[in-house]
Amino acid sequence: MDDWHRAFTQNTLVPPHPQRARQLGKESTAFQCVLKWLDGPLIKQGILDMLSELECHLRVSLFDVTYKHFFGRTWKTMVKSTNQLSRQPPRIIFNEPFYFHTTLNHPNIVAVVEVVAEGRKRDGTLQVLSCGFGILRIFGNKPESPTSAAQDKRLRLYHGTPRALLHPLLQDPIEQSKHMTLMENCSLQYTLKPHSPLEPAFHLLPENLLVSGLQQIPGLLPPHGDTGDVLRKPRFQKPTTWHLDDLFFTLYPSLEKFEEELLELLISDHFREGVSLLDGSTLEVLERRLHVCVHNGLGFVHRPQVVVLVPEMDVALTRSASFSRRVSSSSKNSSGNQALVLRSHLRLPEMVSHPAFAIVFQLEYAFSSPSGADGSAGSSTSLSNLACMHMVRWAVWNPELEAASGKVTLPLQGGIQHNPSHCLVYKVPSASMSSEEVKQVESGTIQFQFSLSSDTPPEHGPKAERRSSRKTPASPSGTPAPAAQDLAAIQDSPVGPGLSLSQLVASPQPPAPRSSSKPPPQPLDRPQSPQGPQLQAEPVLEGRVSHLEADLSQTSLVLGTPAVDHLQELPFTPLHVPIVVGAQTRSSRRQLSRAAMALLQSSGFPEILDASQQPVEAVNPTDPVRFNPQKEESDCRRGNEIVLQFLAFSRAAQDCPGAPWPQTVYFTFQFYRFPPETTPRLQLVKLDGTGKSSSTSLSHVLVPINKDGSFEAGSPGFQLRYMVDPGFLKPGEQRWFTHYLAAQTLQVDVWDGDSLLLIGSAGVQMKHLLRQGRPAVQVSHELEVLATEYEQETVVVSGDLAGFGSIKPIGVHTVVKGRLHLTLANVGHMCEPRARGSCSLPPSRSRVISNDGASFFSGGSLLVPGGPRRKRVVQAQKLADVDSELAAMLLTHTRAGQGPQAAGQEADAVHRRKLERMRLVRLQESGGDSGSRRISLLAQQSVRAQHSRDLQVIDAYRERTKTESITSVLSQAITTHHTLYATLGTAEFFEFALKNPHNTQHTVAIEIDSPELSIILDCQEWRHFKEATGLHTPLEEDMFHLRGSLAPQLYLRPRETAHIPFKYQNFSVGPLAPPQTPAEMSSEKDPESGPLWKYSAMPTKHAKVLFRVESGRPIAVLCLTVEPQPHVVDQVFRFYHPELTFLKKAIRLPPWHTLPGAPVGMPGEDPPVHVRCSDPNVICEAQNVGPGEPRDVFLKVASGPSPEIKDFFVIIYADRWLAEPVQTWQVCLHSLQRVDVSCVAGQLTRLSLVLRGTQTVRKVRAFTSHPQELKTDPAGVFMLPPHGVQDLHVGVRPRRAGSRFVHLNLVDMDYHQLVASWLVCLSCRQPLISKAFEITMAAGEGKGASKRITYTNPYPSRRTYHLHTDRPDLLQFKENSFQVVGGETYTIGLRFGPSGSTGQEEILIYINDHEDKNEETFCVKVLYQ
């Protein structure tokens, strides 16, 4: 304690001027100043003669020129002898550094250096004299860069003492004042520079405190080597975490009398000072607050934690029995006085094992003045009710260095003595007649228990700054999350009020801290500094209020700013339950048993044959796959025929046996980039003899259904074929397809064909389809079909991290619904080489496009003898034959006399003109006689006249269209056409070799008409794409001149060719609502019926790039034709959400090395994750966290009206340039009408839903996802009249308590269309259990056990009761209902079924009355051994 008091009293600071302190707060800047030496005759000869043992030292103080105010603390150098002044030149060497930091970044904040001489008079007394001073400007009008190198500077000295600066005649600039006299030939050599290594130590040094590098700072380790400078490169002591529990304040003589006297004195002070209260007479205690913080003797190392204290009797009425006993026992130790109690424990992670480190407690009272006339608070939330706040007591505890735990009682202090907050404190009782023992308790005591924690506390300094990015994102303030015992203590505290009134009203003198209000359980005032953790423990004296439901260990990281500043966002993790990628598709696969294989083979499934009509080789799905890419690429069988054969679908043993099993199913999936596939409805046909043995899970085979609803059991199974050959693949895509088979998992969704409800999903790896040189392979799988259920959002941030990569999500449950038997095959085919000019193959995917000689000019040229022979020769044709517009004009002229009908036949003008010429030719040939000869002459004259008129029309038409035609031909001569085959999210990179065709230089502007096509302006991005594509063309830095939003410009020399990098990337797709209804049965598709590489459902896009010179004329045109290609979907997420609301989900990525599609062998840390979405109205983002931390992708989607299905894609990238996606997810959001039901487990709750008819009459039926818990009336098929309104009665009887979703579909039974859909949100509570029983049974395949329990009718009349249970698979009743006379006892017969595993099960028995309301609930605990 002595060390702390010594450091505290020796380092008292004078605060800055109040006007300066109220200015805008800024970031603190650290400085290092080295005072090197003094030059010149500083000491006069008279002083040398008068004093002996003369020595000299320097003093430095901070001074505010504007307000003429010294502040901070004066720092002194070591004393040096003046014997050095006798040398030539006279010089005293100091070479002492001092350090400080300040936020007062203003040119008028200066440091005043005073030269002081001290010696002894003849009588031996010490005499201290000022020999001059200098003004050291810290901040100039143009501040130097913090990174600038330090240079020696010379400080001029003035006669007199620094007190002269307080004279009112001195005005700024004071160096030029006539009242300042310069000392000739005297100066101080020094260096001043910013010192960034001091920034992590700001929490240990108060602002404006000048300290020497040779001074020991509490919290810093001694420096390495013999320099002795602690602050040049600060090294921090390891902090420890202290916990304070059971904290009680006892005030003398009692709490009630103490507060009564305090209120009386405050009221009298208000009247004496002329301050009127709101009602003129009364004050009352609004809040009792405790400030707790760590102090190192220099200042607070942490923003004080502020908690609310309450009288112990108020706590005892609302707390548990254990806490009440603790309060009562503690109150006995406090002499029977009522104490102030802290309702939770405190955690101080900033303590350091140093004698100068202490914990400061400050008790503060907040008072209010009631606005009501009767003295009661009229409005407890009114901001004007707060009258004042005063500190009444404080205490300091300096822990012993070797102490680990114990109990401490400290005396409280008050009065006028100096305290760490530098404020006035309420008086203490007069103790002139008291003994020392009484003096210790008259001011009050504080009592608490302490313990030293073993968890790792937060670090300071550069290491902590580097490690801050690796901290768990669930700790927004940058400190580690509290330990388990801390959380338990926090949760033990009762839920207090929301935000205390004093926190809303309190406006301390320093600037208010930045705060950001966040929903619980986050603290309400946890600001985040842009500086990061290096400002974590800034010594700010004002505190904060954190109510007990918040984590009291969270710290503030930033200095205050005024209230007009913007709120700073905290590093906040949204409270979404994360969904783990792969949770929907991680269905286990296993090898079929021999019995199942024999049963499948005998069921008559069609056999898969290879290209030679031989049976395909079958591989074991459990065997490892040895993948050799070179072997796949060198395979002569370039064609891959992928066969999917759906064989059987059987019920899982884990599924509820009481639930009905679907009669028909259909499947949806998407293979590679083929269109999404929806199979027809398939009938589930039970196999004969499967119920006799449980050795196989195969029970139902799949049989196609005909259009008339019949099916043929003799041809089971459904088969799909996909032909992947060089005609389908783009050039170079074979490697992509091979990697797809090797790494991806095919997700298959299984749907109920009648109810259109999703049964579940199965995932199958396709790596066994790699043929590796074999003619064909096939593999048979038995896949688990998993149903994923999402509970309603909870307040849990993340799941249980059992280990690296082992993530258990919270609120997500998977249930095995069945087993799908599926056979996959890959049959190799020899592909014939196609003709070179075949148009069925896409053009070359060259990365370089040139405009030199690649024009589309269709004209010819003259064949000059001896000249070079041209490849293109064009024969001249008649204008009317090649120009339909001209032909229409000529025909219109000849048919002008035939009425308006001819004008409507211009589309066939060329054909009609030819027919007219043919008629005239025949007429001329038929002329033999004179009559015919005359007719022929007339016809010839008519033809000549018509030809003359045609020539005139042609000449006029040519003159009118000549300019347009020449311009069009010239444009075609400079136009280059190129075709791109783009997929969603993938950046298609290419370069355009632009050549300047002129002999003069040009500045070319590049204009693009498509937002999806862009120029690569970043040189690093250009280099990345070149390396990825293996392109070795030249790369240039600063290639383009950018002018804001105008088109980029490129400088070209005469005849120069430059490569311009382009990137085409598309993130949008058309409407792709996934079909929820099964497809109609059709014949097998012909793979050669359509284009091989083009998906016709995707429209062709066009983009145009113009290259214009300064005059606006184009020198080149690039026309791009973009053929969109279907993309690969790695995983499908399907969410059901209420209509017209926002869906917020967090999808958690697995560890990077396990993510399919991730680059293999990437060195270093995990790459950053970037996310894009195909729907611009969907908000998606991924936060980059430290290595080893789980990564979440957050989605926020607005659902539409029911039954709309919103379909979009989420694209994941692992490179900063978003070149190629590593994952593509398809998200399907089903908007359903929400129905909220609040019910009791085991009790029937009834409600009605309104059905509205459509345009025609429909035969409909209601289906539910939980038929055991939700019943509908009508239960079967009924008619829904057109435009009518009808009620659908629903009865809900949940078997277990909790919140969950139940789906309800209304389906047209004739067309299998979804008419309406609801999402029933159950909020079920547990009934009161009246009796409990316990039995023990043998586990295994036993016979079960029969038991009896009795029930007595408590009513005087006969009653009918119904029995229900939450576990019908383990308990059956002898009778599901019974009647019993009033007052009589009835024996209920129970039959407990066997359990396959050992453990404990709690089975509830619901006894309901005749209205199906719960009368009583029994609990039977069954122990299976």
Side-chain angles (χ1 to χ4, degrees), residues 1350-1402:
T1350 59
Y1351 177 73
T1352 302
N1353 183 7
Y1355 299 99
S1357 59
R1358 175 186 293 270
R1359 292 294 179 102
T1360 300
Y1361 295 97
H1362 302 274
L1363 299 176
H1364 303 278
T1365 179
D1366 65 333
R1367 294 298 302 271
D1369 55 330
L1370 298 178
L1371 174 63
Q1372 289 84 33
F1373 300 103
K1374 182 179 180 180
E1375 297 175 352
N1376 292 327
S1377 62
F1378 62 91
Q1379 289 185 352
V1380 59
V1381 182
E1384 296 293 330
T1385 300
Y1386 181 81
T1387 301
I1388 302 174
L1390 307 176
R1391 176 67 180 175
F1392 292 92
S1395 176
S1397 60
T1398 59
Q1400 175 181 309
E1401 296 285 349
E1402 289 189 355

Side-chain angles (χ1 to χ4, degrees), residues 546 773 853 984 1088 1202:
S546 290
L984 177 69
E1088 300 293 337
S1202 175

Side-chain angles (χ1 to χ4, degrees), residues 737-1056:
F737 178 70
T738 304
H739 184 268
Y740 171 81
L741 294 180
Q744 297 297 334
T745 299
L746 179 66
Q747 178 174 334
V748 180
D749 293 333
V750 185
W751 301 79
D752 190 327
D754 296 326
S755 66
L756 305 184
L757 289 170
L758 180 65
I759 300 175
S761 301
V764 54
Q765 294 182 353
M766 295 179 291
K767 58 185 179 181
H768 293 90
L769 294 180
L770 296 170
R771 292 186 288 107
Q772 294 290 284
R774 293 170 291 189
V777 291
Q778 70 172 345
V779 58
S780 297
H781 291 280
E782 182 178 320
L783 306 172
E784 289 183 347
V785 177
L786 299 179
T788 305
E789 298 179 358
Y790 305 105
E791 291 186 353
Q792 297 189 29
E793 296 289 355
T794 60
V795 294
V796 190
V797 176
S798 63
D800 178 19
L801 296 178
F804 185 71
S806 176
I807 307 174
K808 179 182 178 183
I810 295 178
V812 181
H813 303 280
T814 55
V815 181
V816 180
K817 304 295 290 186
R819 298 187 182 278
L820 174 63
H821 298 267
L822 178 68
T823 296
L824 304 176
N826 184 359
V827 180
H829 291 276
M830 302 294 293
C831 297
E832 298 180 0
R834 297 179 181 270
R836 184 178 179 182
S838 175
C839 61
S840 60
L841 275 176
S844 173
R845 299 184 66 207
S846 174
R847 298 290 178 178
V848 179
I849 308 170
S850 176
N851 70 329
D852 188 13
S855 67
F856 274 70
F857 177 56
S858 58
S861 61
L862 297 177
L863 297 179
V864 181
R869 185 165 184 84
R870 304 288 182 176
K871 295 182 180 180
R872 177 185 301 157
V873 178
V874 180
Q875 184 178 1
Q877 296 179 350
K878 294 182 179 180
L879 284 177
D881 295 340
V882 297
D883 194 328
S884 59
E885 183 179 4
L886 177 60
M889 293 178 63
L890 296 177
L891 180 63
T892 303
H893 182 72
T894 57
R895 299 291 187 180
Q898 297 183 6
Q901 294 182 357
Q905 301 173 351
E906 295 181 2
D908 203 13
V910 177
H911 179 65
R912 292 179 177 274
R913 181 175 175 83
K914 291 180 179 180
L915 293 179
E916 181 68 17
R917 285 204 301 265
M918 183 62 66
R919 186 184 66 81
L920 293 175
V921 170
R922 289 180 178 177
L923 182 62
Q924 183 176 2
E925 292 177 352
S926 62
D929 51 4
S930 60
S932 300
R933 194 174 294 109
R934 287 195 300 270
I935 295 175
S936 176
L937 291 175
L938 292 175
Q940 291 178 2
Q941 294 177 359
S942 175
V943 168
R944 291 191 185 96
Q946 180 179 346
H947 284 177
S948 177
R949 290 191 297 269
D950 288 349
L951 290 175
Q952 295 177 2
V953 172
I954 292 174
D955 186 61
Y957 180 79
R958 288 184 59 189
E959 290 297 328
R960 184 172 65 87
T961 61
K962 182 184 296 184
T963 303
E964 181 181 354
S965 300
I966 294 176
T967 303
S968 176
V969 171
L970 293 177
S971 176
Q972 293 180 13
I974 62 173
T975 300
T976 304
H977 292 262
H978 185 72
T979 303
L980 287 178
Y981 298 88
T983 56
L984 177 69
T986 302
E988 293 292 337
F989 164 74
F990 64 93
E991 291 182 354
F992 182 73
L994 176 65
K995 182 178 179 179
N996 182 7
H998 304 129
N999 294 325
T1000 58
Q1001 66 272 12
H1002 285 297
T1003 300
V1004 182
I1006 307 173
E1007 302 175 1
I1008 305 175
D1009 65 351
S1010 173
E1012 298 168 347
L1013 181 65
S1014 61
I1015 304 176
I1016 299 178
L1017 303 175
D1018 194 303
C1019 182
Q1020 296 182 5
E1021 182 180 3
W1022 191 4
R1023 182 178 292 107
H1024 172 81
F1025 279 102
K1026 279 180 175 291
E1027 294 175 353
T1029 57
L1031 196 60
H1032 302 289
T1033 52
L1035 186 144
E1036 300 183 32
E1037 301 276 352
D1038 298 330
M1039 188 173 182
F1040 303 98
H1041 173 57
L1042 304 178
R1043 302 171 298 162
S1045 60
L1046 299 179
Q1049 290 184 341
L1050 173 68
Y1051 177 80
L1052 284 180
R1053 300 176 181 88
R1055 299 291 178 178
E1056 182 187 17

